[in-house]
Amino acid sequence: MSKVIRVKYEKGVLKPLEPLELPEGEELLVEIIDVEERIRRLQRYRGVLGPVDEELLEEAVEEAEQL
């Protein structure tokens, strides 16, 4: 499973802002990406796999800014 979720960092702990459907004790890998880095990645890889719908790219950037 791969999923992007919003979390909040409080007192040294990352807390999900939405319910996670995971078995108790499940181990996961977490990649921490701030909003600016996500926007840079979207722009860097734009079009790598072919033409990109500009509207779709703009939606992805807006989503990154809301995370």
Coordinates of all heavy atoms in Angstrom, one line a residue:
M1 N 0.8 -1.2 0.0 CA 0.0 0.0 0.0 C 0.9 1.2 0.0 O 1.9 1.3 0.7 CB -0.9 0.0 1.3 CG -1.7 1.3 1.4 SD -2.6 1.4 2.9 CE -1.4 2.0 4.1
S2 N 0.5 2.2 -0.8 CA 1.2 3.5 -0.8 C 0.1 4.6 -0.7 O -0.9 4.5 -1.4 CB 2.0 3.6 -2.1 OG 2.6 4.9 -2.1
K3 N 0.3 5.5 0.2 CA -0.7 6.6 0.4 C 0.0 7.8 1.0 O 0.9 7.7 1.7 CB -1.7 6.0 1.4 CG -2.9 6.9 1.7 CD -3.9 6.3 2.6 CE -5.0 7.2 2.8 NZ -6.1 6.6 3.7
V4 N -0.5 8.9 0.5 CA 0.0 10.2 1.1 C -1.1 10.7 2.0 O -2.2 10.8 1.7 CB 0.2 11.3 -0.1 CG1 0.6 12.6 0.5 CG2 1.3 10.8 -1.0
I5 N -0.6 11.1 3.2 CA -1.5 11.6 4.3 C -0.9 12.9 4.9 O 0.2 13.1 4.8 CB -1.8 10.6 5.4 CG1 -0.5 10.2 6.1 CG2 -2.5 9.3 4.8 CD1 -0.8 9.6 7.5
R6 N -1.8 13.6 5.5 CA -1.4 14.8 6.2 C -1.1 14.4 7.6 O -1.9 13.6 8.2 CB -2.4 15.9 6.1 CG -2.6 16.5 4.7 CD -3.7 17.5 4.7 NE -3.3 18.6 5.5 CZ -4.2 19.4 6.1 NH1 -5.5 19.3 5.9 NH2 -3.8 20.4 6.9
V7 N -0.1 14.9 8.2 CA 0.2 14.7 9.6 C 0.6 16.0 10.3 O 0.9 17.0 9.6 CB 1.4 13.7 9.8 CG1 1.0 12.4 9.2 CG2 2.7 14.2 9.3
K8 N 0.5 16.0 11.6 CA 0.8 17.2 12.4 C 1.9 16.7 13.4 O 1.8 15.7 14.0 CB -0.4 17.7 13.1 CG -0.1 19.1 13.8 CD -1.4 19.6 14.4 CE -1.4 21.1 14.6 NZ -2.7 21.6 15.0
Y9 N 3.0 17.5 13.5 CA 4.1 17.2 14.4 C 3.8 17.9 15.7 O 3.7 19.1 15.8 CB 5.4 17.6 13.8 CG 6.6 17.3 14.6 CD1 7.0 16.0 14.7 CD2 7.3 18.3 15.3 CE1 8.1 15.6 15.5 CE2 8.4 18.0 16.0 CZ 8.8 16.6 16.1 OH 9.9 16.3 16.9
E10 N 3.6 17.1 16.8 CA 3.4 17.7 18.1 C 4.2 16.9 19.2 O 4.1 15.7 19.3 CB 1.9 17.6 18.5 CG 0.9 18.4 17.6 CD -0.5 18.2 18.0 OE1 -0.8 17.2 18.7 OE2 -1.3 19.1 17.7
K11 N 4.9 17.7 19.9 CA 5.7 17.1 21.0 C 6.5 15.9 20.6 O 6.5 14.9 21.3 CB 4.8 16.8 22.2 CG 4.1 18.0 22.7 CD 3.1 17.7 23.8 CE 2.4 18.9 24.3 NZ 1.4 18.7 25.3
G12 N 7.2 16.0 19.5 CA 8.0 14.9 19.0 C 7.3 13.7 18.4 O 8.0 12.7 18.1
V13 N 6.0 13.8 18.1 CA 5.3 12.7 17.5 C 4.5 13.2 16.3 O 3.9 14.3 16.3 CB 4.3 12.2 18.5 CG1 3.4 11.1 17.9 CG2 5.0 11.7 19.8
L14 N 4.6 12.4 15.2 CA 3.8 12.7 14.0 C 2.4 12.1 14.2 O 2.2 10.9 14.4 CB 4.4 12.1 12.8 CG 5.8 12.7 12.3 CD1 6.4 11.9 11.2 CD2 5.6 14.1 11.9
K15 N 1.4 12.9 14.1 CA 0.0 12.5 14.3 C -0.8 12.6 13.0 O -0.9 13.7 12.5 CB -0.7 13.3 15.4 CG 0.0 13.2 16.8 CD -0.7 14.0 17.8 CE -0.1 13.8 19.2 NZ -0.8 14.5 20.2
P16 N -1.4 11.5 12.5 CA -2.2 11.6 11.3 C -3.4 12.5 11.5 O -4.0 12.5 12.6 CB -2.6 10.1 11.1 CG -1.8 9.3 12.0 CD -1.3 10.2 13.1
L17 N -3.8 13.2 10.5 CA -4.9 14.1 10.5 C -6.1 13.4 9.9 O -7.2 14.0 9.7 CB -4.6 15.4 9.8 CG -3.5 16.2 10.4 CD1 -3.3 17.5 9.6 CD2 -3.8 16.6 11.8
E18 N -6.0 12.1 9.6 CA -7.1 11.3 9.1 C -7.0 9.9 9.6 O -5.9 9.5 9.9 CB -7.2 11.3 7.6 CG -5.9 10.8 6.9 CD -5.9 10.9 5.4 OE1 -5.8 12.1 5.0 OE2 -5.9 9.9 4.7
P19 N -8.1 9.2 9.7 CA -7.9 7.8 10.2 C -7.1 6.9 9.3 O -7.1 7.1 8.0 CB -9.4 7.3 10.2 CG -10.2 8.5 10.1 CD -9.4 9.5 9.4
L20 N -6.3 6.0 9.8 CA -5.5 5.1 9.0 C -6.1 3.7 9.2 O -6.3 3.3 10.4 CB -4.1 5.1 9.5 CG -3.3 6.4 9.3 CD1 -1.9 6.3 9.9 CD2 -3.3 6.9 7.9
E21 N -6.3 3.0 8.1 CA -6.9 1.6 8.2 C -5.7 0.7 8.2 O -5.4 0.1 7.2 CB -7.9 1.4 7.1 CG -9.1 2.2 7.2 CD -10.1 2.0 6.1 OE1 -10.0 1.0 5.4 OE2 -10.9 2.9 5.9
L22 N -5.0 0.6 9.3 CA -3.8 -0.3 9.4 C -4.0 -1.2 10.6 O -4.5 -0.9 11.6 CB -2.6 0.6 9.6 CG -2.2 1.6 8.6 CD1 -1.1 2.5 9.1 CD2 -1.7 0.8 7.3
P23 N -3.4 -2.4 10.5 CA -3.4 -3.3 11.6 C -2.5 -2.8 12.7 O -1.5 -2.1 12.5 CB -2.8 -4.6 11.1 CG -2.6 -4.4 9.6 CD -2.8 -3.0 9.3
E24 N -2.9 -3.0 14.0 CA -2.1 -2.5 15.1 C -0.7 -3.1 15.0 O -0.5 -4.3 14.7 CB -2.7 -3.0 16.4 CG -2.1 -2.4 17.7 CD -2.3 -0.9 17.7 OE1 -3.4 -0.4 17.2 OE2 -1.5 -0.2 18.3
G25 N 0.3 -2.3 15.2 CA 1.7 -2.7 15.2 C 2.4 -2.7 13.8 O 3.5 -3.1 13.6
E26 N 1.6 -2.3 12.8 CA 2.1 -2.3 11.4 C 3.3 -1.3 11.3 O 3.3 -0.2 11.9 CB 1.0 -1.8 10.5 CG 1.4 -1.7 9.0 CD 1.4 -3.1 8.3 OE1 0.9 -4.0 8.9 OE2 1.8 -3.1 7.2
E27 N 4.4 -1.8 10.7 CA 5.6 -0.9 10.5 C 5.5 -0.3 9.1 O 5.2 -1.0 8.1 CB 6.8 -1.7 10.7 CG 7.1 -2.1 12.1 CD 8.5 -2.6 12.3 OE1 9.4 -2.4 11.5 OE2 8.6 -3.3 13.3
L28 N 5.8 0.9 9.0 CA 5.8 1.7 7.7 C 7.0 2.5 7.5 O 7.7 2.8 8.5 CB 4.6 2.6 7.7 CG 3.2 2.0 8.0 CD1 2.2 3.1 8.2 CD2 2.7 1.1 6.8
L29 N 7.3 2.8 6.3 CA 8.4 3.8 6.0 C 7.7 5.2 5.8 O 6.6 5.2 5.2 CB 9.1 3.4 4.7 CG 9.9 2.1 4.7 CD1 10.5 1.8 3.4 CD2 11.0 2.2 5.8
V30 N 8.3 6.2 6.3 CA 7.7 7.5 6.2 C 8.7 8.4 5.5 O 9.9 8.5 5.9 CB 7.3 8.1 7.6 CG1 6.8 9.5 7.5 CG2 6.3 7.2 8.3
E31 N 8.3 9.1 4.5 CA 9.1 10.1 3.8 C 8.5 11.5 4.2 O 7.3 11.7 4.0 CB 9.1 9.9 2.3 CG 10.0 11.0 1.6 CD 10.0 10.8 0.1 OE1 9.2 10.0 -0.4 OE2 10.9 11.4 -0.5
I32 N 9.4 12.4 4.7 CA 8.9 13.7 5.1 C 9.3 14.7 4.0 O 10.5 14.8 3.7 CB 9.5 14.1 6.5 CG1 9.1 13.1 7.5 CG2 9.1 15.5 6.8 CD1 9.7 13.3 8.9
I33 N 8.3 15.3 3.5 CA 8.5 16.3 2.4 C 7.7 17.5 2.7 O 6.5 17.4 2.9 CB 8.0 15.7 1.0 CG1 8.6 14.4 0.7 CG2 8.3 16.7 -0.1 CD1 8.0 13.7 -0.5
D34 N 8.4 18.6 2.8 CA 7.6 19.9 3.1 C 7.0 20.3 1.8 O 7.3 19.8 0.7 CB 8.5 20.9 3.7 CG 9.6 21.5 2.8 OD1 9.5 21.3 1.6 OD2 10.6 22.0 3.3
V35 N 6.1 21.3 1.9 CA 5.3 21.7 0.8 C 6.2 22.2 -0.4 O 6.0 21.9 -1.5 CB 4.3 22.8 1.2 CG1 3.6 23.4 0.0 CG2 3.2 22.2 2.2
E36 N 7.2 23.0 0.0 CA 8.0 23.6 -1.1 C 8.8 22.5 -1.8 O 8.9 22.6 -3.1 CB 9.0 24.6 -0.4 CG 8.4 25.8 0.1 CD 7.5 26.6 -0.9 OE1 8.0 26.8 -2.0 OE2 6.4 27.0 -0.5
E37 N 9.2 21.5 -1.2 CA 9.9 20.4 -1.8 C 9.0 19.6 -2.8 O 9.3 19.3 -3.9 CB 10.5 19.4 -0.8 CG 11.2 18.2 -1.5 CD 12.3 18.5 -2.5 OE1 12.9 19.6 -2.4 OE2 12.6 17.6 -3.3
R38 N 7.7 19.4 -2.3 CA 6.8 18.7 -3.2 C 6.5 19.5 -4.4 O 6.4 19.0 -5.5 CB 5.5 18.5 -2.4 CG 4.5 17.8 -3.3 CD 3.4 17.1 -2.5 NE 2.4 16.6 -3.4 CZ 1.6 15.7 -3.1 NH1 1.6 15.1 -2.0 NH2 0.7 15.3 -4.0
I39 N 6.4 20.8 -4.3 CA 6.2 21.7 -5.5 C 7.4 21.6 -6.4 O 7.2 21.5 -7.6 CB 5.9 23.1 -5.1 CG1 4.5 23.2 -4.4 CG2 5.9 24.1 -6.3 CD1 4.2 24.5 -3.7
R40 N 8.6 21.7 -5.9 CA 9.8 21.5 -6.7 C 9.8 20.2 -7.4 O 10.2 20.2 -8.6 CB 11.1 21.7 -5.8 CG 11.4 23.1 -5.5 CD 12.8 23.2 -4.9 NE 12.9 22.5 -3.6 CZ 12.6 23.0 -2.4 NH1 12.2 24.2 -2.3 NH2 12.8 22.3 -1.3
R41 N 9.5 19.1 -6.8 CA 9.4 17.8 -7.4 C 8.4 17.7 -8.6 O 8.7 17.2 -9.6 CB 9.1 16.7 -6.4 CG 10.3 16.4 -5.5 CD 9.9 15.2 -4.6 NE 11.0 15.0 -3.6 CZ 11.0 14.0 -2.8 NH1 10.0 13.1 -2.8 NH2 12.0 13.8 -1.9
L42 N 7.3 18.3 -8.3 CA 6.2 18.3 -9.4 C 6.7 19.1 -10.6 O 6.6 18.6 -11.7 CB 4.9 19.0 -8.8 CG 4.1 18.1 -7.9 CD1 3.0 19.0 -7.2 CD2 3.5 16.9 -8.6
Q43 N 7.4 20.2 -10.4 CA 7.9 21.0 -11.5 C 9.1 20.3 -12.1 O 9.2 20.4 -13.4 CB 8.2 22.4 -11.0 CG 7.0 23.2 -10.6 CD 7.3 24.5 -9.9 OE1 8.4 24.7 -9.4 NE2 6.3 25.4 -9.9
R44 N 10.0 19.7 -11.4 CA 11.2 19.1 -11.9 C 10.8 17.9 -12.9 O 11.4 17.7 -13.9 CB 12.0 18.6 -10.8 CG 13.3 17.9 -11.3 CD 14.2 17.4 -10.2 NE 14.2 18.2 -9.0 CZ 14.0 17.7 -7.7 NH1 13.9 16.4 -7.5 NH2 14.0 18.5 -6.7
Y45 N 9.8 17.1 -12.5 CA 9.5 15.9 -13.3 C 8.3 16.1 -14.2 O 7.9 15.2 -14.9 CB 9.2 14.7 -12.3 CG 10.5 14.3 -11.5 CD1 10.5 14.6 -10.2 CD2 11.6 13.8 -12.2 CE1 11.7 14.2 -9.5 CE2 12.7 13.5 -11.5 CZ 12.8 13.7 -10.1 OH 13.9 13.4 -9.5
R46 N 7.9 17.3 -14.3 CA 6.9 17.7 -15.3 C 7.2 17.2 -16.7 O 8.3 17.6 -17.2 CB 6.7 19.2 -15.2 CG 5.7 19.7 -16.2 CD 5.7 21.2 -16.1 NE 4.9 21.8 -17.1 CZ 4.8 23.0 -17.4 NH1 5.6 23.9 -16.7 NH2 4.1 23.5 -18.3
G47 N 6.3 16.4 -17.3 CA 6.5 16.0 -18.6 C 7.5 14.8 -18.9 O 7.7 14.4 -20.0
V48 N 8.1 14.3 -17.8 CA 9.1 13.2 -17.9 C 8.5 12.0 -18.6 O 9.1 11.4 -19.4 CB 9.7 12.8 -16.6 CG1 10.5 11.6 -16.6 CG2 10.6 14.0 -16.0
L49 N 7.3 11.7 -18.3 CA 6.6 10.5 -18.9 C 5.7 10.8 -20.0 O 4.9 10.0 -20.5 CB 5.8 9.8 -17.8 CG 6.6 9.2 -16.6 CD1 5.7 8.6 -15.6 CD2 7.6 8.2 -17.1
G50 N 5.9 12.0 -20.6 CA 5.1 12.4 -21.7 C 4.4 13.8 -21.4 O 4.7 14.4 -20.4
P51 N 3.6 14.2 -22.3 CA 2.9 15.5 -22.2 C 2.0 15.5 -20.9 O 1.5 14.4 -20.5 CB 1.9 15.5 -23.4 CG 2.5 14.6 -24.4 CD 3.2 13.5 -23.6
V52 N 2.0 16.6 -20.3 CA 1.2 16.8 -19.0 C 0.1 17.8 -19.2 O 0.4 18.9 -19.8 CB 2.2 17.3 -17.9 CG1 1.4 17.6 -16.6 CG2 3.3 16.3 -17.6
D53 N -1.0 17.5 -18.8 CA -2.2 18.4 -18.8 C -1.9 19.5 -17.8 O -1.7 19.3 -16.6 CB -3.4 17.6 -18.4 CG -4.7 18.5 -18.4 OD1 -4.6 19.7 -18.1 OD2 -5.7 17.9 -18.7
E54 N -1.8 20.7 -18.3 CA -1.4 21.9 -17.4 C -2.4 22.0 -16.3 O -2.0 22.4 -15.2 CB -1.4 23.2 -18.3 CG -0.2 23.2 -19.3 CD 1.1 23.2 -18.6 OE1 1.3 23.8 -17.5 OE2 2.0 22.6 -19.2
E55 N -3.7 21.8 -16.5 CA -4.7 21.9 -15.5 C -4.4 20.8 -14.4 O -4.5 21.1 -13.2 CB -6.1 21.7 -16.0 CG -7.2 22.0 -15.0 CD -8.6 21.9 -15.7 OE1 -8.7 22.4 -16.8 OE2 -9.5 21.4 -15.0
L56 N -4.1 19.6 -14.8 CA -3.8 18.6 -13.8 C -2.5 18.9 -13.0 O -2.5 18.7 -11.8 CB -3.5 17.2 -14.5 CG -3.3 16.0 -13.7 CD1 -4.5 15.7 -12.8 CD2 -3.0 14.8 -14.6
L57 N -1.5 19.5 -13.6 CA -0.3 19.9 -12.9 C -0.6 21.0 -11.9 O -0.2 21.0 -10.8 CB 0.8 20.4 -13.9 CG 2.1 20.8 -13.3 CD1 2.8 19.7 -12.5 CD2 3.0 21.4 -14.3
E58 N -1.4 22.0 -12.3 CA -1.8 23.1 -11.4 C -2.6 22.5 -10.2 O -2.4 22.9 -9.1 CB -2.7 24.1 -12.2 CG -3.0 25.3 -11.3 CD -1.8 26.1 -10.9 OE1 -0.8 26.1 -11.6 OE2 -1.9 26.6 -9.7
E59 N -3.5 21.5 -10.4 CA -4.2 20.9 -9.3 C -3.3 20.2 -8.4 O -3.4 20.3 -7.1 CB -5.2 19.9 -9.9 CG -6.4 20.5 -10.5 CD -7.4 19.5 -11.1 OE1 -7.2 18.3 -10.8 OE2 -8.2 19.9 -11.9
A60 N -2.2 19.6 -8.9 CA -1.3 18.9 -8.0 C -0.5 19.9 -7.2 O -0.2 19.7 -6.0 CB -0.3 18.0 -8.9
V61 N -0.1 21.0 -7.8 CA 0.6 22.0 -7.0 C -0.3 22.6 -6.0 O 0.1 22.8 -4.8 CB 1.1 23.1 -8.0 CG1 1.6 24.3 -7.2 CG2 2.2 22.6 -8.9
E62 N -1.5 22.9 -6.3 CA -2.5 23.4 -5.3 C -2.7 22.5 -4.2 O -2.7 22.8 -3.0 CB -3.8 23.8 -6.0 CG -3.8 25.0 -6.8 CD -5.1 25.3 -7.6 OE1 -6.1 24.6 -7.3 OE2 -5.1 26.1 -8.5
E63 N -2.8 21.2 -4.5 CA -2.9 20.1 -3.4 C -1.7 20.1 -2.5 O -1.8 20.1 -1.3 CB -3.1 18.8 -4.1 CG -3.1 17.6 -3.1 CD -3.2 16.3 -3.8 OE1 -4.1 16.1 -4.6 OE2 -2.2 15.5 -3.5
A64 N -0.5 20.3 -3.1 CA 0.7 20.3 -2.3 C 0.8 21.5 -1.4 O 1.2 21.4 -0.3 CB 2.0 20.3 -3.3
E65 N 0.2 22.6 -1.9 CA 0.2 23.8 -1.0 C -0.7 23.6 0.2 O -0.5 24.3 1.2 CB -0.2 25.0 -1.9 CG 0.9 25.4 -2.9 CD 0.5 26.5 -3.8 OE1 -0.7 26.7 -4.0 OE2 1.4 27.0 -4.5
Q66 N -1.8 22.8 0.0 CA -2.7 22.6 1.1 C -2.3 21.6 2.1 O -2.8 21.5 3.2 CB -4.1 22.2 0.5 CG -4.7 23.3 -0.3 CD -6.0 22.8 -1.0 OE1 -6.4 21.7 -0.8 NE2 -6.5 23.6 -1.9
L67 N -1.3 20.8 1.8 CA -0.8 19.8 2.7 C -0.1 20.4 3.9 O 0.4 21.4 3.9 CB 0.1 18.8 2.0 CG -0.5 17.8 1.1 CD1 0.5 16.9 0.4 CD2 -1.6 17.0 1.7

